[in-house]
Amino acid sequence: MGVPLPLPTPKMGGAHGVGFPLPSHLEQVKRWSGRNPHSSLPLQQDLTILILYIELEMGNDKAYPGMSENEYSNARHAIRIYALDKTEISLVKLCLPPHFVSFGSKVNEDNAVSSISSVIVIFIVISNSALLQQNTIQQSTYLKKTAKSSYCSNVLKYENLRYDSISCRHTRTRESNSTSPATLVKEPHKYFDRVLITVRSGDGGHGAVLRMPTQSAVAKSHGKLAKENPWKKSSFKRDFDGSLILPMGGHGGDVVIYADEGKDTLLEFHNKRRYNAKRGGNVDSVGVLSSQLRGGLAAPTLRIPVPLGTVVKHKRGKLFSDLAHPGDEVLVARGGRGGISLLEVPENRRKRMTTLTTNIMRDDTDKVLVLGQHGEEVSLELILRVVADVGLVGLPNAGKSTLLAAITHAKPDIADYPFTTLMPNLGRLDGDPTLGAEKYSSEATLADLPGLIEGAHLGKGLGRNFLRHLRRTRLLVHVIDAAAENPVNDYRTVKEELRMYNPDYLERPFIVVLNKIDLPEARDRLQSLTEEMLKIGCDKVTSETELSSEDAVKSLSTEGGEADLLSSVTSVKDKRDKELEDYPRPLAVVGVSVLKGIMIQEMLKEIRAALRKC
Ligand SMILES: Nc1nc2c(ncn2[C@@H]2O[C@H](COP(=O)(O)OP(=O)(O)OP(=O)(O)O)[C@@H](O)[C@H]2O)c(=O)[nH]1
Ligand SMILES: [Mg+2]
């Protein structure tokens, strides 16, 4: 620890090295070591790095056929770097011997082994855990011994085999709480559906080490009766088998995240990113067992409300839960258990008490149980995907928000400039009263999304991240400005962007709404536009019309449409290779003017009919 490294003249990594210049790297290692053994590195997790620096004695160049002069001289120094997870550390001793000889296929192994002239083994332990650091030091000591006996005799001289271990601590990186309230107000659309938070469950309350009361104390508190028989069974709380029940520390508060229909966004979490549950109460005692003794109070569960449709994930990927239904909740951190109480019994009464109690503990090592257990701290990523049956998509200014306002009670912002809508607006569509009571209840939720433009997948306009909010929809409604210069092209642009985000979106049933037919230029070409739109696409539904449940699970672990599993990557790629014409054609094309209320009922009929089909 802390011994400056005897470093050889550094050279390039060589044919078997890691491909970056040695000098700077070894300089860094040098800085980490000797001078400051407890230097900090900006790493989040525990890590052990094993560096092998091997210098070869390249005696006979005929032993390395096919190696160029350059390769030959580079191969004289080989550096290998292994990052070991803390759980893998025991593997070091297993995998070390092969590394001594794994100098690539061009080198005859025997020759290579016999030509090693010196080896430097460096362990860098980056951890705040003293135990892990200690373990690594033991590992390297063990290696020194085994290397001496097994390798040094015939491979290299022991004095040429050097070990060092370096301990570094993590830097305590402060969580970026950089989103200022002003930014949140100015650009809420960038933050409303994604946030990182940290939750901590409460510690358990402490138990107590109790003494039996003296006879006089018992008499004082229980009057004459107790004086006659201080060990009378009813004096203390007992289990059904007669054993004494000793009070326990209260359970620490759990942390639960639940779906709350009253919440719309995750914005508030940007202001407060840390949530701590309370700790359990300690045993209320002055050290003497009494019938009045109470256990510590359990801390209340900390319940955090999030909008319906929030996906709760571990910061580094693992899915906790998808809170897609009202009342869904997930326990994200369990509170620490309360400590138990111990009873100290005088030697002469011990035997008798043992027959009466099951939870007497005298062993010193058990005393740790008196302290409540620690709660757990978890970093979470919350991702909102709105829950809606129908998604409205289209270019900016097509009239999506006007449509939502026309058929639901929603009051979205409407204006004749692009990107009026920055965050999804939700509206509730009532069922069809003409279909009778049964169908009337089949209401649906509509989501009006921000406008998409060509190149949205490259980040143009508002980008395309908001398309994740289409994930749960059953039906898409393409809203097109029929009075625009080239409505068919606009339609293709939106479909293309959807496909770039997630080709599955194009497999979903959809209808096309040609809007603004109150304007003459739209009304005149309504017929031809409708025919043209109906021609784009094919009849056969090529694959699943909805995300299968398996896909849904996969998609929960990924964002932005990039699936992490190889198979799904391939399938997504295949789907992107398809032409727009290879995807299903619209279920219906209707011309409307949502502003002037023309053909609204016909449009609603088509939407309801489509909803019934999917
Ligand atoms: N003439 C006419 N104008 C309409 C019609 N529907 C919407 N508009 C106008 O089109 C403009 C844009 O409407 P919005 O509903 O804000 O369009 P949007 O698709 O939500 O636009 P973004 O939110 O920017 O994506 C507004 O000025 C509306 O008044 C219509 O049927 N006829
Ligand atoms: Mg809008």
Side-chain angles (χ1 to χ4, degrees):
M1 286 271 293
V3 181
L5 292 173
L7 297 170
T9 331
K11 285 204 174 180
M12 290 298 288
H16 315 287
V18 288
F20 54 83
L22 276 183
S24 66
H25 186 78
L26 286 182
E27 268 311 305
Q28 228 173 342
V29 172
K30 214 167 157 187
R31 263 209 318 277
W32 289 345
S33 68
R35 317 277 148 76
N36 181 6
H38 291 297
S39 51
S40 292
L41 290 175
L43 274 171
Q44 298 276 332
Q45 65 202 89
D46 288 351
L47 200 70
T48 301
I49 298 173
L50 165 67
I51 299 180
L52 292 181
Y53 184 95
I54 301 157
E55 201 169 62
L56 295 173
E57 186 109 335
M58 306 290 276
N60 175 7
D61 61 350
K62 291 203 176 75
Y64 314 99
M67 209 181 247
S68 71
E69 200 174 313
N70 206 11
E71 277 178 321
Y72 176 79
S73 72
N74 273 343
R76 293 197 53 198
H77 299 280
I79 184 160
R80 296 196 152 221
I81 298 186
Y82 302 89
L84 307 164
D85 186 79
K86 61 181 170 185
T87 52
E88 279 182 296
I89 184 130
S90 58
L91 291 181
V92 175
K93 63 172 182 263
L94 297 177
C95 70
L96 187 59
H99 298 327
F100 277 85
V101 292
S102 62
F103 274 50
S105 52
K106 286 177 186 162
V107 180
N108 173 311
E109 287 192 355
D110 291 338
N111 263 313
V113 170
S114 59
S115 62
I116 296 171
S117 68
S118 70
V119 173
I120 299 174
V121 183
I122 308 163
F123 284 97
I124 304 175
V125 199
I126 304 157
S127 171
N128 291 346
S129 147
L131 192 69
L132 182 65
Q133 296 186 352
Q134 193 55 39
N135 270 350
T136 316
I137 292 165
Q138 282 168 7
Q139 285 279 348
S140 66
T141 322
Y142 174 84
L143 276 172
K144 273 184 205 174
K145 281 185 197 147
T146 47
K148 189 177 181 184
S149 57
S150 16
Y151 307 110
C152 293
S153 52
N154 54 358
V155 176
L156 73 165
K157 288 187 203 112
Y158 180 59
E159 53 268 27
N160 289 341
L161 182 64
R162 296 178 200 132
Y163 286 83
D164 209 331
S165 49
I166 302 162
S167 300
C168 304
R169 287 200 226 127
H170 297 160
T171 315
R172 284 217 176 274
T173 44
R174 283 189 55 210
E175 250 165 49
S176 62
N177 266 349
S178 55
T179 337
S180 70
T183 322
L184 290 179
V185 173
K186 230 166 95 188
E187 298 180 313
H189 58 283
K190 289 192 183 162
Y191 306 102
F192 81 100
D193 59 354
R194 207 172 194 141
V195 70
L196 291 176
I197 60 167
T198 305
V199 299
R200 193 181 193 291
S201 54
D203 297 342
H206 301 321
V209 179
L210 304 167
R211 277 175 285 111
M212 290 303 290
T214 56
Q215 289 203 4
S216 60
V218 175
K220 226 182 203 175
S221 62
H222 295 275
K224 278 182 192 165
L225 267 176
K227 220 178 211 174
E228 287 156 19
N229 182 8
W231 298 109
K232 198 175 172 199
K233 268 194 169 187
S234 59
S235 304
F236 307 110
K237 289 180 197 149
R238 287 170 193 278
D239 219 339
F240 63 92
D241 61 353
S243 60
L244 279 175
I245 296 176
L246 296 177
M248 281 187 69
H251 196 277
D254 297 334
V255 183
V256 166
I257 297 185
Y258 70 100
D260 180 350
E261 284 182 279
K263 299 267 170 198
D264 299 328
T265 71
L266 298 171
L267 279 175
E268 63 189 89
F269 293 98
H270 287 275
N271 290 325
K272 181 173 189 262
R273 295 200 185 214
R274 181 165 256 289
Y275 294 82
N276 295 337
K278 291 203 168 123
R279 69 184 302 280
N282 296 341
V283 168
D284 175 20
S285 123
V286 283
V288 182
L289 182 65
S290 92
S291 54
Q292 319 292 311
L293 259 191
R294 282 175 310 205
L297 286 180
T301 299
L302 176 64
R303 295 178 58 79
I304 305 172
V306 293
L308 201 63
T310 301
V311 176
V312 183
K313 286 163 75 177
H314 263 289
K315 193 174 165 189
R316 299 202 191 282
K318 197 186 129 209
L319 174 74
F320 254 123
S321 182
D322 181 11
L323 308 175
H325 305 104
D328 279 358
E329 59 177 48
V330 58
L331 175 74
V332 286
R334 197 177 287 281
R337 283 211 331 229
I340 62 166
S341 293
L342 306 178
L343 196 55
E344 280 183 348
V345 183
E347 197 66 47
N348 56 348
R349 289 193 197 141
R350 202 164 270 183
K351 197 166 173 206
R352 181 171 172 188
M353 285 301 297
T354 318
T355 58
L356 287 176
T357 64
T358 51
N359 50 357
I360 293 179
M361 298 196 187
R362 300 180 206 92
D363 188 341
D364 271 359
T365 54
D366 286 338
K367 280 197 175 166
V368 72
L369 299 175
V370 171
L371 301 177
Q373 287 182 358
H374 287 298
E376 42 182 351
E377 184 166 302
V378 191
S379 293
L380 298 171
E381 183 173 21
L382 306 179
I383 302 167
L384 175 61
R385 277 187 212 147
V386 303
V387 179
D389 304 281
V390 184
L392 303 182
V393 291
L395 293 193
N397 262 345
K400 302 177 292 296
S401 305
T402 317
L403 191 154
L404 186 78
I407 60 173
T408 70
H409 294 298
K411 303 251 178 301
D413 288 341
I414 296 170
D416 63 351
Y417 54 83
F419 304 116
T420 312
T421 306
L422 297 173
M423 298 194 282
N425 297 304
L426 294 184
R428 199 107 180 107
L429 181 68
D430 288 337
D432 184 359
T434 60
L435 295 170
E438 219 176 287
K439 298 274 168 56
Y440 183 70
S441 61
S442 64
E443 49 187 16
T445 308
L446 273 73
D448 158 36
L449 294 195
L452 270 170
I453 56 168
E454 188 172 358
H457 71 277
L458 301 172
K460 285 197 183 158
L462 291 183
R464 56 174 194 156
N465 280 343
F466 55 82
L467 288 180
R468 78 161 67 98
H469 299 291
L470 290 180
R471 192 92 76 161
R472 303 180 198 274
T473 55
R474 290 189 279 145
L475 175 73
L476 300 185
V477 173
H478 282 257
V479 185
I480 294 162
D481 179 355
E485 204 177 312
N486 191 344
V488 177
N489 208 26
D490 294 350
Y491 169 64
R492 283 182 172 276
T493 302
V494 173
K495 289 204 82 164
E496 198 57 57
E497 290 302 325
L498 289 181
R499 185 168 72 147
M500 294 306 293
Y501 183 81
N502 182 352
D504 285 327
Y505 286 172
L506 294 201
E507 309 272 7
R508 286 188 199 181
F510 69 101
I511 65 171
V512 175
V513 171
L514 293 168
N515 192 24
K516 306 194 185 180
I517 58 163
D518 55 306
L519 302 173
E521 56 269 42
R523 201 173 35 230
D524 295 347
R525 53 183 172 170
L526 181 62
Q527 187 62 31
S528 61
L529 278 180
T530 309
E531 281 166 17
E532 228 173 312
M533 299 274 175
L534 279 170
K535 271 192 224 150
I536 303 172
C538 60
D539 280 331
K540 76 176 167 52
V541 177
T542 44
S543 64
E544 73 278 31
T545 51
E546 281 177 66
L547 278 179
S548 64
S549 57
E550 194 190 332
D551 273 356
V553 171
K554 273 181 207 164
S555 70
L556 287 174
S557 63
T558 58
E559 275 306 318
E562 288 107 18
D564 57 349
L565 297 173
L566 193 62
S567 57
S568 55
V569 167
T570 324
S571 81
V572 167
K573 193 173 171 297
D574 289 348
K575 285 173 189 172
R576 286 203 180 124
D577 288 343
K578 289 205 290 190
E579 293 296 321
L580 287 186
E581 275 71 12
D582 299 331
Y583 287 95
R585 61 174 103 243
L587 294 177
V589 179
V590 273
V592 296
S593 167
V594 283
L595 186 67
K596 301 283 161 73
I598 305 168
M599 298 286 282
I600 296 272
Q601 287 311 318
E602 282 71 12
M603 178 187 70
L604 274 176
K605 226 162 108 187
E606 293 295 352
I607 293 179
R608 287 190 179 118
L611 274 172
R612 277 196 296 276
K613 282 187 206 156
C614 54

